[in-house]
Amino acid sequence: MKIKKILSVILVLSLVMLTFYGCKSDSTESTTTAINDSAINESTDTETTEAQGAEEDIVQTNADGSKSIIYANPTVISEDTYYLSGKKVELPMTYKDFSSLTGYKYTEQSMAQSPIEPGGYYNMLPLTSSEIEKIDADVDVPAANLTDSETGVENLSVVGISVYGTDQVDFKLESGLQIGQAATVDDIIGVYGNPNSATINADGANGSLEYRYSTNTAYHSLAIHIQNGVIYEIQMTIPF
């Protein structure tokens, strides 16, 4: 299950990495990066526009009966709020305030570095709390330096979250969707509208969806993963 989580995180973050550069850490989980120039962003936007400028959805049916879909008219969403351990988190929020509010703290294995340059960020900062220490769940947050000077982890801004769990985790989105909830791809579309892309297996019990937009200076994503008819992973970022 851990391998599946890592692969799904990599798939989503690969889109983010098209708009940023400058890896500065030996740890993948603790990578800091800086904003790229507009050339790569413009290319990414062009490719997205072409793929989703079609009049009809692009549907590919695979040999195993699964489907990969690019939607012609995706919904633009702006999720910036979620609930963790019963606490309302409104992004962006400094890591210090986030930790104090939720009880989650970065792990020793995260190899958090300090100080971090303006514009630098951690792709995923692994967190722990008493709530998830003994269950099959992981919580990570992207954290960015939105200030004009070098700063330590405490003053970084939390700009999203990634939650994975085969066990129940006290996490939900503003829409009410949460880890451990029974759902299908169609159920998610019923809440948010068409995503940018989705994958669905032959019987519809497994799948994933991603809602996103990107500009020359910002990237936003919400990805939801379903396994055996249950939401087991949610990843989201706000523009930063």
Side-chain angles (χ1 to χ4, degrees):
M1 298 301 294
K2 185 68 174 181
I3 293 175
K4 290 182 179 179
K5 175 187 183 295
I6 294 173
L7 290 175
S8 62
V9 171
I10 291 174
L11 287 173
V12 175
L13 288 178
S14 63
L15 293 167
V16 181
M17 296 304 293
L18 289 175
T19 53
F20 297 93
Y21 80 106
C23 234
K24 297 182 181 178
S25 170
D26 293 333
S27 168
T28 303
E29 292 179 321
S30 305
T31 300
T32 57
T33 31
I35 297 176
N36 199 354
D37 57 40
S38 61
I40 293 179
N41 291 305
E42 290 173 357
S43 174
T44 303
D45 293 341
T46 299
E47 292 173 3
T48 301
T49 300
E50 290 176 352
Q52 293 167 349
E55 295 181 0
E56 298 181 355
D57 299 341
I58 300 173
V59 181
Q60 176 181 315
T61 302
N62 305 310
D64 61 359
S66 64
K67 294 182 179 180
S68 301
I69 307 170
I70 296 177
Y71 289 85
N73 297 295
T75 304
V76 176
I77 64 170
S78 57
E79 287 276 355
D80 60 4
T81 301
Y82 56 79
Y83 296 82
L84 184 63
S85 296
K87 305 299 183 180
K88 186 176 183 179
V89 178
E90 296 181 276
L91 303 177
M93 175 182 289
T94 65
Y95 167 80
K96 182 178 180 180
D97 289 343
F98 171 88
S99 181
S100 176
L101 176 68
T102 65
Y104 278 80
K105 300 181 179 182
Y106 65 86
T107 66
E108 294 179 1
Q109 292 77 18
S110 68
M111 297 178 64
Q113 300 177 21
S114 181
I116 295 175
E117 297 178 358
Y121 68 97
Y122 288 106
N123 290 330
M124 285 293 166
L125 196 62
L127 304 179
T128 188
S129 78
S130 58
E131 180 182 347
I132 62 170
E133 283 179 346
K134 297 180 181 180
I135 65 174
D136 185 11
D138 290 295
V139 176
D140 309 274
V141 292
N145 182 359
L146 304 184
T147 72
D148 295 328
S149 58
E150 290 185 338
T151 187
V153 175
E154 296 292 319
N155 295 318
L156 296 181
S157 294
V158 174
V159 291
I161 195 166
S162 172
V163 180
Y164 160 91
T166 56
D167 292 327
Q168 188 67 37
V169 183
D170 188 3
F171 169 82
K172 68 178 180 179
L173 297 170
E174 183 76 352
S175 64
L177 294 180
Q178 57 190 314
I179 298 293
Q181 175 181 340
T184 65
V185 168
D186 286 342
D187 290 335
I188 307 303
I189 291 175
V191 173
Y192 287 110
N194 287 342
N196 289 72
S197 60
T199 59
I200 311 170
N201 77 337
D203 61 12
N206 300 326
S208 62
L209 311 87
E210 186 188 21
Y211 298 82
R212 64 186 173 88
Y213 69 80
S214 58
T215 68
N216 286 347
T217 59
Y219 179 88
H220 173 275
S221 174
L222 170 65
I224 299 173
H225 304 270
I226 299 167
Q227 187 170 53
N228 299 324
V230 173
I231 297 174
Y232 77 96
E233 186 167 14
I234 295 175
Q235 303 158 325
M236 59 95 75
T237 61
I238 63 170
F240 67 92

